[in-house]
Amino acid sequence: MRKFLIVSAAALILGACSTVAETVRGPELAPIGYPAALVPVQQAYLPSPQARVEATPASANSLWRSGARTFFGDQRARHIGDILTVNINIDDRAQTQNSTNRSRSNDISGGVSNFFGLENSLGRAFPGGFDPQNMIGLEGQSNATGSGSVNRAEKVNLTIAAVVTEVLSNGNLVIQGRQEVRTNREVRELTVAGIVRPEDISAGNTISHTQIAEARISYGGRGDISRVQATPAAQSLVERFSPF
């Protein structure tokens, strides 16, 4: 327990230092690396292809040289580590409006004409008046009214290069890509991940976001502007857990 507290305190101190440094110098770009951490789900994939056997050196009068790309070969991404271009063109609009109005009223009454000859005795027990014909009476009424509407519009037009990170057993490709752009003290982040079919990749080695299965597209940022626009942490906690 003591060791856990020490580690937690150290993490908090490092986090605070990072926040202070980011406040002074602005947000830093993330290091360039293989984008394997973008998708937390582990997919089964085929082993990476074996290294190609070196071609026989071309003769002096040959049009081809060793190591050159094949002229008639398919240059589309199909192996782990290959790069393809993803065109993101989102222009979605959604509008929904619902209205509900419910009302219900109940009225139940009942009486007893004879009750073991004790009708008169009950009348004397209740000097305010007792009517055996109206011994039981129930009334109820409920009303409910509700309405809701949604009006949403989104438009994103971006292009990003993605890397093939896995090849599934059926030949589909798992792609992941990340792009960061820093302008003054604001960093804009664009990430894309998903599964594509090799047949959907165009001859220009591009693919549309609508052809990506399990697509995960994120566009946001961090920096001074994003921090000012965000709701303070304490206010967010109060709004989330307040019962009122």
Side-chain angles (χ1 to χ4, degrees), residues 5-187:
L5 293 176
I6 294 175
V7 173
S8 300
L12 290 174
I13 293 173
L14 292 176
C17 294
S18 176
T19 303
V20 173
E22 182 174 326
T23 303
V24 176
R25 297 194 301 266
E28 298 291 339
L29 298 177
I32 299 175
Y34 195 66
L38 293 181
V39 178
V41 180
Q42 296 295 329
Q43 301 282 357
Y45 62 91
L46 296 175
S48 58
Q50 300 295 331
R52 297 181 178 86
V53 179
E54 292 293 336
T56 304
S59 59
N61 58 351
S62 175
L63 298 176
W64 311 103
R65 60 182 177 84
S66 177
R69 290 181 176 269
T70 58
F71 183 76
F72 297 103
D74 189 359
Q75 304 299 325
R76 293 178 296 179
R78 61 184 182 275
H79 300 299
I80 295 177
D82 290 349
I83 298 176
L84 73 160
T85 302
V86 179
N87 296 322
I88 303 173
N89 188 8
I90 300 175
D91 190 0
D92 295 338
R93 294 180 181 272
Q95 186 173 0
T96 304
Q97 186 173 0
N98 296 321
S99 180
T100 302
N101 190 356
R102 297 182 301 171
S103 178
R104 182 172 60 183
S105 178
N106 298 322
D107 187 0
I108 301 175
S109 62
V112 177
S113 58
N114 295 291
F115 188 70
F116 299 102
L118 301 177
E119 301 83 22
N120 296 329
S121 300
L122 292 175
R124 292 193 296 271
F126 299 96
F130 174 75
D131 186 2
Q133 300 299 327
N134 296 304
M135 182 176 293
I136 300 174
L138 297 175
E139 293 182 2
Q141 185 176 1
S142 64
N143 296 292
T145 302
S147 61
S149 62
V150 175
N151 190 357
R152 180 176 59 87
E154 298 174 350
K155 188 172 184 179
V156 180
N157 191 357
L158 297 169
T159 302
I160 183 174
V163 180
V164 177
T165 59
E166 297 178 4
V167 180
L168 302 183
S169 58
N170 60 357
N172 291 340
L173 309 176
V174 178
I175 63 170
Q176 302 175 23
R178 178 173 180 175
Q179 182 184 89
E180 293 187 1
V181 179
R182 175 171 175 172
T183 305
N184 295 333
R185 297 173 62 89
E186 187 74 13
V187 174

Side-chain angles (χ1 to χ4, degrees), residues 74-76 199-206:
D74 189 359
Q75 304 299 325
R76 293 178 296 179
E199 297 83 359
D200 293 333
I201 302 176
S202 67
N205 200 30
T206 63

